[in-house]
Every structure is written in structure tokens, then in C-alpha cells.
Amino acid sequence: MEKENEKSCVYLLTICAVYANIYVATAHGGVAQLGERTVRIRKVESSILFVSTIKTTPSEWFFFFVNASLEVFVWGYLMKTALITGASRGIGRAVARELAHQGWAVGINYLNRADKARELVEELTAAGCQAAMFQADVADSAAVAEMVRKLGETFSPVELVVNNAGVSGQGLFQDTTDEMWDRYLAVNLSGARNTVKAALPHMISEKRGCIVNISSIWGQRGASCEVAYSCTKAGIIALTRSLAMELAPSGIRVNCVAPGVINTDMVQVLGQETVEELIRETPLGRLGTPEDIAYAVAFFASERAGFITGQVLTADGGFIV
Ligand code: NAP
């Protein structure tokens, strides 16, 4: 009789633990606050911990596994996945880090720097976040579609796309070859089109989703010796506004961040003298940090921006005021 009571007690406590976890996860959109950090609730792990502290018989373990399967199902349903293109370095890296710490499972896309992407995945995983890396040239629509499919299988279908991957270069308009022109367009503009196209079917069927595009102040103002780059970044703004209108009835928001001069490899190649000149031209008197842009992206991605779509947020220290 005592053994029966002990069993009932285990069943009851397991049910309570599982449903308390599901309740908390549901109430908080799958994330919880731990000190200053937002973490994704790991229901299965907490239940394993709970059950492993109790002496269990095979039938009790079977009971636990049925519950754990239910949790995996709910977990999959609650998990929110973001794809950040060009996340191995610079702005994309900071965006991936910020979103991961806010509870997103992040797909880290890169082109060449597998070492930097791996380093970031290891850092985020060690911090209890969900992260995986995917090599793909965003200019290659088939590779992007495959990446979006694999990311969906790894975590859950993509609900947030951050179109960040980009290339830049300086030179006179007349010296810009057909190949250079085509490459800027293919990566900076078609790249964004490719990721959106691959992620949209799921977003439309779910009637929810979010897209954040990274443009540039040069796309807003134009830039001498960066005509091709500026055209692609102006195109990103048109893409943002047009898609925002087309996708609003499907519950999908599309916004854009236009950074000023941000301290990344892309700016450091300009040389010390040019960088100092750009700092002098920035009213706030400093280069922006990748985190300055990541916070703006995270805002657009959050529920707090739920009524905002088709907008361009300039984060440039006052450069083009
Ligand atoms: P970055 O430091 O040069 O990093 C570029 C990132 O994009 C890297 O992760 C790179 O991957 C990836 N990438 C490049 N081509 C790719 C391709 N074809 N497919 C997939 N990934 C690709 O650049 P950033 O300064 O962080 O710039 C990020 C975005 O912000 C760009 O769109 C840029 O135009 C925009 N932006 C930057 C500034 C600025 O001042 N830095 C200002 C305005 C706008 P690998 O590491 O594998 O090469």
C-alpha cells in the first residue's frame, strides 16, 4: 500500500512539474527572465532533472517518457527561430548574439569564415542558447532555400529573417565592372530577396513572421565612389516598404535598419585616416558599434514593435540629420 502511495505521489509530482513548465513557457512565450538575461525554458531538461532525483521503476520511466514526448511537441511548437545572414562577423554577429540571448533559436549564416561562425555557435551554446551555423552564399537562391529548410529541421521553421549579409567596395562609377555591379546586386539585394522567398511559405501559412533588412545611410543619401553599393541599399529600402504593404494582410511585419558608420571589418578596410574623418563627420563623435545596430534589430523583432511595419530606422549617431 505504501509503495502504491509512493507511485501515485511520483505520478502526481511529474504531472505537476510538466504542466507547470508548459504553463510557464506558454505564459512567457517560451522564455523566462534569469537575472538580467532572458533564457528559453528547457522543459525536457528540467523534467529529467526532476525525475532523476526520484527512485523510479520501469513503468514510472515509461510514464515520464510519454510526458517528455508531449513536452518535446510543445517545445517545438513554442520555439521561435531566427535566421541571420552574414552572422559570422560584424553587425550580423552582434544581432545573432542579441537575439539568442533574448530566447530566439538562431541560424548563423556565413560565407567563408566557418571558424568565426563556429566560435559564435560555441559561445552561445555554452551560454544556454540555441544556435547552429549554415554555410550559404545568399546570392545563390537554391543554397538559401536549402539552408532555410535545414534550419527549420534543426530548430523550427524560420519566423524571423534578418537580411544582413552584404559586400561593399569603393571606386569610381566608371571603374565598376559588370561583374562587380552584378555581384553587389546579387549579394546585397537579391540575397535579401532569396531568404525572404525561402522563409515566406511558412510565415504566410502561419500568418505571422518578421523580416528586418539592413540597409545603410548611403542607401538613403547616396555616396560618391560607392554608387553600386548605395543602389543596392536604396533597393533594400524599397524592398522593405513594398513587402511591408504586400505582407501586412498575412500578419508579417517588414522593417529596416539603416546604420551609419559602424566599427566592423567593412569600415576598417577604409584605413585609419578615412575612419577618423568619418568619426569627425558623425555628430555623436564616435563610430557605431555592432551592438548599436543589434539593439535596433531586436526592437523590430520584438512584440513591442507589433504595430510597426514598413519603417526605416536610421542608427547613425546623427550622420545624416
Ligand atoms: P562585415 O564585417 O564585412 O561582415 C559581413 C558578413 O557578411 C560576414 O559575416 C560575411 O561572411 C557575410 N557575407 C558576405 N557576403 C556573403 C554572402 N554572399 N553570403 C553570405 N554571407 C555573406 O560587414 P558589416 O559591417 O557587419 O555589415 C553587415 C551589413 O551591414 C551589410 O549589409 C552592410 O552593407 C551593412 N552596413 C554596414 C555598415 C558599416 O559601417 N559597417 C554601415 C551601413 C550598413 P564571412 O565572414 O563568412 O565572410
Tab-separated table of all heavy atoms in Angstrom, residues 85-92 109-113 136-139 164-167 183 187 214-217 229 233 259-262 264-267, ligand 1:
chain	number	residue	atom	x	y	z
A	85	THR	N	21.549	36.411	-41.754
A	85	THR	CA	22.541	36.182	-42.801
A	85	THR	C	23.794	37.010	-42.495
A	85	THR	O	23.715	38.084	-41.899
A	85	THR	CB	21.989	36.539	-44.196
A	85	THR	OG1	21.727	37.938	-44.265
A	85	THR	CG2	20.730	35.758	-44.510
A	86	GLY	N	24.925	36.468	-42.883
A	86	GLY	CA	26.201	37.159	-42.634
A	86	GLY	C	26.427	37.377	-41.153
A	86	GLY	O	26.741	38.478	-40.712
A	87	ALA	N	26.278	36.287	-40.370
A	87	ALA	CA	26.340	36.442	-38.907
A	87	ALA	C	27.672	35.987	-38.323
A	87	ALA	O	27.834	35.947	-37.114
A	87	ALA	CB	25.191	35.672	-38.264
A	88	SER	N	28.626	35.665	-39.175
A	88	SER	CA	29.922	35.228	-38.643
A	88	SER	C	30.734	36.393	-38.100
A	88	SER	O	31.542	36.227	-37.192
A	88	SER	CB	30.716	34.496	-39.736
A	88	SER	OG	30.637	35.213	-40.955
A	89	ARG	N	30.507	37.581	-38.664
A	89	ARG	CA	31.312	38.736	-38.246
A	89	ARG	C	30.432	39.983	-38.134
A	89	ARG	O	29.278	39.985	-38.572
A	89	ARG	CB	32.417	39.026	-39.274
A	89	ARG	CG	33.477	37.956	-39.318
A	89	ARG	CD	34.560	38.273	-40.335
A	89	ARG	NE	34.124	38.141	-41.706
A	89	ARG	CZ	34.158	39.108	-42.622
A	89	ARG	NH1	34.625	40.305	-42.291
A	89	ARG	NH2	33.745	38.904	-43.850
A	90	GLY	N	31.015	41.048	-37.566
A	90	GLY	CA	30.414	42.389	-37.597
A	90	GLY	C	29.009	42.492	-37.038
A	90	GLY	O	28.683	41.932	-35.986
A	91	ILE	N	28.171	43.212	-37.780
A	91	ILE	CA	26.815	43.525	-37.311
A	91	ILE	C	25.980	42.249	-37.140
A	91	ILE	O	25.303	42.067	-36.122
A	91	ILE	CB	26.139	44.504	-38.300
A	91	ILE	CG1	26.834	45.876	-38.243
A	91	ILE	CG2	24.639	44.642	-37.985
A	91	ILE	CD1	26.408	46.857	-39.328
A	92	GLY	N	26.065	41.348	-38.117
A	92	GLY	CA	25.281	40.110	-38.056
A	92	GLY	C	25.610	39.291	-36.831
A	92	GLY	O	24.732	38.692	-36.201
A	109	ASN	N	24.274	32.272	-40.491
A	109	ASN	CA	24.717	32.063	-41.869
A	109	ASN	C	26.081	32.727	-42.072
A	109	ASN	O	26.380	33.760	-41.489
A	109	ASN	CB	23.682	32.657	-42.839
A	109	ASN	CG	24.268	32.924	-44.207
A	109	ASN	OD1	24.441	34.079	-44.594
A	109	ASN	ND2	24.590	31.889	-44.940
A	110	TYR	N	26.921	32.075	-42.892
A	110	TYR	CA	28.220	32.662	-43.217
A	110	TYR	C	28.590	32.238	-44.625
A	110	TYR	O	27.962	31.326	-45.202
A	110	TYR	CB	29.299	32.201	-42.215
A	110	TYR	CG	29.592	30.727	-42.317
A	110	TYR	CD1	30.692	30.265	-43.044
A	110	TYR	CD2	28.746	29.790	-41.739
A	110	TYR	CE1	30.949	28.909	-43.174
A	110	TYR	CE2	28.991	28.425	-41.867
A	110	TYR	CZ	30.084	28.000	-42.576
A	110	TYR	OH	30.326	26.656	-42.727
A	111	LEU	N	29.622	32.882	-45.160
A	111	LEU	CA	30.076	32.509	-46.499
A	111	LEU	C	31.411	31.770	-46.417
A	111	LEU	O	31.510	30.613	-46.783
A	111	LEU	CB	30.187	33.739	-47.395
A	111	LEU	CG	30.611	33.469	-48.838
A	111	LEU	CD1	29.618	32.568	-49.550
A	111	LEU	CD2	30.769	34.788	-49.611
A	112	ASN	N	32.443	32.459	-45.881
A	112	ASN	CA	33.797	31.877	-45.846
A	112	ASN	C	34.301	31.552	-44.443
A	112	ASN	O	35.037	30.605	-44.256
A	112	ASN	CB	34.805	32.857	-46.485
A	112	ASN	CG	34.468	33.115	-47.942
A	112	ASN	OD1	34.275	32.191	-48.717
A	112	ASN	ND2	34.363	34.394	-48.310
A	113	ARG	N	33.911	32.384	-43.469
A	113	ARG	CA	34.535	32.285	-42.149
A	113	ARG	C	33.839	31.268	-41.226
A	113	ARG	O	33.221	31.645	-40.219
A	113	ARG	CB	34.607	33.666	-41.502
A	113	ARG	CG	35.451	34.679	-42.270
A	113	ARG	CD	36.932	34.248	-42.350
A	113	ARG	NE	37.527	34.058	-41.044
A	113	ARG	CZ	38.122	35.016	-40.366
A	113	ARG	NH1	38.223	36.217	-40.852
A	113	ARG	NH2	38.658	34.748	-39.182
A	136	ALA	N	26.194	29.293	-46.704
A	136	ALA	CA	25.449	29.506	-47.956
A	136	ALA	C	25.780	30.889	-48.492
A	136	ALA	O	25.898	31.852	-47.731
A	136	ALA	CB	23.944	29.408	-47.727
A	137	ASP	N	25.941	30.957	-49.799
A	137	ASP	CA	26.087	32.262	-50.457
A	137	ASP	C	24.666	32.782	-50.658
A	137	ASP	O	23.875	32.155	-51.379
A	137	ASP	CB	26.804	32.073	-51.798
A	137	ASP	CG	27.025	33.392	-52.526
A	137	ASP	OD1	26.380	34.399	-52.155
A	137	ASP	OD2	27.827	33.409	-53.471
A	138	VAL	N	24.337	33.917	-50.033
A	138	VAL	CA	22.944	34.396	-50.128
A	138	VAL	C	22.547	34.720	-51.566
A	138	VAL	O	21.363	34.789	-51.882
A	138	VAL	CB	22.675	35.618	-49.203
A	138	VAL	CG1	22.752	35.234	-47.742
A	138	VAL	CG2	23.590	36.783	-49.544
A	139	ALA	N	23.547	34.896	-52.423
A	139	ALA	CA	23.239	35.185	-53.834
A	139	ALA	C	22.727	33.946	-54.561
A	139	ALA	O	22.175	34.055	-55.657
A	139	ALA	CB	24.496	35.717	-54.537
A	164	ASN	N	21.164	40.621	-43.426
A	164	ASN	CA	22.305	41.448	-43.066
A	164	ASN	C	23.510	41.255	-43.987
A	164	ASN	O	24.294	42.187	-44.178
A	164	ASN	CB	22.700	41.117	-41.618
A	164	ASN	CG	24.063	41.635	-41.260
A	164	ASN	OD1	24.235	42.809	-40.953
A	164	ASN	ND2	25.075	40.760	-41.320
A	165	ALA	N	23.657	40.069	-44.573
A	165	ALA	CA	24.862	39.793	-45.375
A	165	ALA	C	25.034	40.870	-46.445
A	165	ALA	O	24.073	41.246	-47.122
A	165	ALA	CB	24.755	38.417	-46.038
A	166	GLY	N	26.243	41.365	-46.557
A	166	GLY	CA	26.468	42.412	-47.551
A	166	GLY	C	27.929	42.566	-47.893
A	166	GLY	O	28.810	42.162	-47.130
A	167	VAL	N	28.164	43.104	-49.079
A	167	VAL	CA	29.536	43.408	-49.500
A	167	VAL	C	29.583	44.865	-49.956
A	167	VAL	O	28.589	45.417	-50.431
A	167	VAL	CB	30.004	42.486	-50.657
A	167	VAL	CG1	30.348	41.105	-50.136
A	167	VAL	CG2	28.950	42.394	-51.761
A	183	ARG	N	27.676	41.527	-58.798
A	183	ARG	CA	27.916	40.868	-57.508
A	183	ARG	C	27.286	41.674	-56.357
A	183	ARG	O	26.663	41.107	-55.464
A	183	ARG	CB	29.419	40.686	-57.286
A	183	ARG	CG	29.801	39.930	-56.026
A	183	ARG	CD	29.339	38.483	-56.048
A	183	ARG	NE	29.630	37.815	-54.773
A	183	ARG	CZ	29.015	36.707	-54.358
A	183	ARG	NH1	28.088	36.113	-55.080
A	183	ARG	NH2	29.329	36.158	-53.197
A	187	VAL	N	24.413	39.911	-54.069
A	187	VAL	CA	24.547	39.644	-52.622
A	187	VAL	C	23.628	40.579	-51.819
A	187	VAL	O	22.804	40.116	-51.015
A	187	VAL	CB	26.015	39.823	-52.152
A	187	VAL	CG1	26.123	39.662	-50.636
A	187	VAL	CG2	26.922	38.831	-52.871
A	214	ILE	N	18.822	45.054	-43.422
A	214	ILE	CA	19.872	46.032	-43.090
A	214	ILE	C	20.216	46.812	-44.363
A	214	ILE	O	20.743	46.256	-45.329
A	214	ILE	CB	21.140	45.340	-42.529
A	214	ILE	CG1	20.804	44.447	-41.325
A	214	ILE	CG2	22.180	46.406	-42.152
A	214	ILE	CD1	20.257	45.160	-40.107
A	215	SER	N	19.893	48.096	-44.321
A	215	SER	CA	20.241	48.985	-45.434
A	215	SER	C	21.491	49.763	-45.026
A	215	SER	O	22.407	49.195	-44.414
A	215	SER	CB	19.058	49.914	-45.724
A	215	SER	OG	19.409	50.846	-46.720
A	216	SER	N	21.514	51.050	-45.293
A	216	SER	CA	22.677	51.889	-44.950
A	216	SER	C	22.283	53.353	-45.164
A	216	SER	O	21.403	53.648	-45.986
A	216	SER	CB	23.845	51.548	-45.883
A	216	SER	OG	24.823	52.560	-45.844
A	217	ILE	N	22.956	54.235	-44.452
A	217	ILE	CA	22.693	55.659	-44.714
A	217	ILE	C	23.051	56.009	-46.165
A	217	ILE	O	22.498	56.931	-46.744
A	217	ILE	CB	23.455	56.605	-43.746
A	217	ILE	CG1	24.942	56.255	-43.696
A	217	ILE	CG2	22.814	56.613	-42.372
A	217	ILE	CD1	25.796	57.285	-42.981
A	229	TYR	N	27.004	50.066	-54.457
A	229	TYR	CA	26.609	49.705	-53.088
A	229	TYR	C	25.385	50.514	-52.659
A	229	TYR	O	24.407	49.960	-52.133
A	229	TYR	CB	27.793	49.974	-52.150
A	229	TYR	CG	27.497	49.729	-50.684
A	229	TYR	CD1	27.451	48.431	-50.181
A	229	TYR	CD2	27.268	50.795	-49.806
A	229	TYR	CE1	27.183	48.200	-48.839
A	229	TYR	CE2	27.004	50.574	-48.469
A	229	TYR	CZ	26.960	49.273	-47.993
A	229	TYR	OH	26.691	49.054	-46.649
A	233	LYS	N	21.531	49.362	-51.481
A	233	LYS	CA	20.978	49.693	-50.159
A	233	LYS	C	19.693	50.522	-50.283
A	233	LYS	O	18.798	50.421	-49.437
A	233	LYS	CB	22.041	50.418	-49.312
A	233	LYS	CG	23.193	49.507	-48.929
A	233	LYS	CD	22.709	48.342	-48.090
A	233	LYS	CE	23.754	47.308	-47.781
A	233	LYS	NZ	23.241	46.204	-46.947
A	259	PRO	N	22.141	51.608	-40.854
A	259	PRO	CA	23.260	52.020	-39.997
A	259	PRO	C	24.092	53.128	-40.630
A	259	PRO	O	24.157	53.258	-41.854
A	259	PRO	CB	24.111	50.736	-39.887
A	259	PRO	CG	23.280	49.625	-40.428
A	259	PRO	CD	22.341	50.262	-41.417
A	260	GLY	N	24.716	53.897	-39.732
A	260	GLY	CA	25.724	54.871	-40.171
A	260	GLY	C	27.061	54.149	-40.247
A	260	GLY	O	27.122	53.019	-40.741
A	261	VAL	N	28.097	54.783	-39.732
A	261	VAL	CA	29.431	54.178	-39.823
A	261	VAL	C	29.659	53.307	-38.582
A	261	VAL	O	29.738	53.814	-37.459
A	261	VAL	CB	30.524	55.267	-39.944
A	261	VAL	CG1	31.860	54.605	-40.262
A	261	VAL	CG2	30.157	56.273	-41.026
A	262	ILE	N	29.757	52.013	-38.817
A	262	ILE	CA	29.829	51.051	-37.719
A	262	ILE	C	31.197	50.374	-37.719
A	262	ILE	O	31.733	50.023	-38.782
A	262	ILE	CB	28.711	49.976	-37.871
A	262	ILE	CG1	27.337	50.638	-38.111
A	262	ILE	CG2	28.680	49.054	-36.651
A	262	ILE	CD1	26.856	51.563	-37.014
A	264	THR	N	33.299	47.810	-37.941
A	264	THR	CA	33.426	46.398	-38.335
A	264	THR	C	34.550	46.305	-39.375
A	264	THR	O	35.084	47.334	-39.809
A	264	THR	CB	32.128	45.875	-38.996
A	264	THR	OG1	31.955	46.567	-40.238
A	264	THR	CG2	30.908	46.085	-38.114
A	265	ASP	N	34.828	45.084	-39.811
A	265	ASP	CA	35.862	44.890	-40.849
A	265	ASP	C	35.564	45.732	-42.088
A	265	ASP	O	36.477	46.240	-42.743
A	265	ASP	CB	35.908	43.409	-41.272
A	265	ASP	CG	36.345	42.506	-40.122
A	265	ASP	OD1	36.898	43.035	-39.135
A	265	ASP	OD2	36.112	41.281	-40.227
A	266	MET	N	34.245	45.867	-42.404
A	266	MET	CA	33.849	46.598	-43.611
A	266	MET	C	34.325	48.052	-43.575
A	266	MET	O	34.643	48.641	-44.617
A	266	MET	CB	32.317	46.558	-43.749
A	266	MET	CG	31.791	47.067	-45.055
A	266	MET	SD	30.000	46.945	-45.188
A	266	MET	CE	29.785	45.319	-45.861
A	267	VAL	N	34.378	48.623	-42.371
A	267	VAL	CA	34.804	50.019	-42.238
A	267	VAL	C	36.315	50.097	-42.031
A	267	VAL	O	36.980	50.997	-42.555
A	267	VAL	CB	34.025	50.692	-41.075
A	267	VAL	CG1	34.721	51.937	-40.582
A	267	VAL	CG2	32.613	51.025	-41.547
B	1	NAP	P1	31.385	42.656	-42.403
B	1	NAP	O1	32.022	42.896	-41.096
B	1	NAP	O2	32.184	42.753	-43.644
B	1	NAP	O3	30.669	41.217	-42.345
B	1	NAP	C1	29.986	40.781	-43.472
B	1	NAP	C2	29.250	39.499	-43.142
B	1	NAP	O4	28.501	39.116	-44.302
B	1	NAP	C3	30.188	38.344	-42.828
B	1	NAP	O5	29.599	37.523	-41.862
B	1	NAP	C4	30.283	37.605	-44.179
B	1	NAP	O6	30.549	36.205	-44.046
B	1	NAP	C5	28.875	37.805	-44.681
B	1	NAP	N1	28.754	37.689	-46.126
B	1	NAP	C6	29.326	38.429	-47.092
B	1	NAP	N2	28.941	38.017	-48.306
B	1	NAP	C7	28.098	36.980	-48.098
B	1	NAP	C8	27.364	36.136	-48.972
B	1	NAP	N3	27.428	36.264	-50.292
B	1	NAP	N4	26.605	35.170	-48.411
B	1	NAP	C9	26.517	35.013	-47.065
B	1	NAP	N5	27.194	35.792	-46.210
B	1	NAP	C10	27.977	36.761	-46.724
B	1	NAP	O7	30.146	43.645	-42.642
B	1	NAP	P2	29.301	44.513	-41.589
B	1	NAP	O8	29.953	45.823	-41.444
B	1	NAP	O9	28.997	43.714	-40.407
B	1	NAP	O10	27.992	44.754	-42.468
B	1	NAP	C11	26.822	43.989	-42.284
B	1	NAP	C12	25.709	44.672	-43.068
B	1	NAP	O11	25.534	45.999	-42.598
B	1	NAP	C13	25.951	44.770	-44.556
B	1	NAP	O12	24.768	44.572	-45.269
B	1	NAP	C14	26.415	46.206	-44.730
B	1	NAP	O13	26.151	46.696	-46.014
B	1	NAP	C15	25.584	46.895	-43.674
B	1	NAP	N6	26.128	48.172	-43.236
B	1	NAP	C16	27.337	48.237	-42.634
B	1	NAP	C17	27.831	49.472	-42.230
B	1	NAP	C18	29.143	49.630	-41.544
B	1	NAP	O14	29.571	50.770	-41.343
B	1	NAP	N7	29.833	48.566	-41.145
B	1	NAP	C19	27.077	50.635	-42.465
B	1	NAP	C20	25.849	50.524	-43.078
B	1	NAP	C21	25.378	49.281	-43.457
B	1	NAP	P3	32.072	35.630	-43.898
B	1	NAP	O15	32.549	36.061	-42.541
B	1	NAP	O16	31.909	34.150	-43.996
B	1	NAP	O17	32.854	36.232	-44.990
